[in-house]
Amino acid sequence: MTNRTAGIIGCGPIGCSWAAAFLRSAWAVRIFDVSESASTAATALVESMLPGADGSAGASSIRRLSIVGSLAEAVADADYVQESVAERLDT
C-alpha cells in the first residue's frame, strides 16, 4: 500500500469531515486552522466521525491524524490539499 498524505486547511465540520474520509481510506492527514479553538476540538470531532468511535476501528485511523501549527506544515509534501476554511465576505 502506498502511504499518502492529505493536507486539510480548516478544522471546522467540513474540514473534519474531509479528514475522516481520508482516514477511512487509510491516508495520513495533517490538518491546520488559524483558530486555536477549532484546532483543539478537531481530534474529537474527527474521531466522532469515524466508524468504531467507541475505540475499536476508529482508534487505528485516528493515529494517522496530526494537528499541525502552520499552513506550510499541513501542505508540505502532501499528495492532496483540501481547503475548507470559512468563507467570510465581511473581513
Side-chain angles (χ1 to χ4, degrees):
M1 178 200 301
T2 303
N3 293 329
R4 295 178 287 183
T5 300
I8 310 289
I9 312 307
C11 291
I14 295 172
C16 287
S17 293
W18 276 107
F22 281 107
L23 291 170
R24 284 191 300 270
S25 296
W27 285 50
V29 173
R30 292 188 303 259
I31 191 167
F32 167 75
D33 199 298
V34 295
S35 167
E36 192 172 319
S37 62
S39 296
T40 301
T43 300
L45 183 56
V46 171
E47 192 168 29
S48 74
M49 298 174 178
L50 294 171
D54 62 351
S56 57
S60 62
S61 296
I62 203 69
R63 285 193 292 266
R64 292 190 309 277
L65 176 68
S66 299
I67 310 300
V68 297
S70 72
L71 177 63
E73 191 177 359
V75 302
D77 298 319
D79 297 292
Y80 182 88
V81 175
Q82 175 64 47
E83 176 272 319
S84 300
V85 299
E87 295 179 17
R88 295 192 55 198
L89 300 178
D90 62 338
T91 58

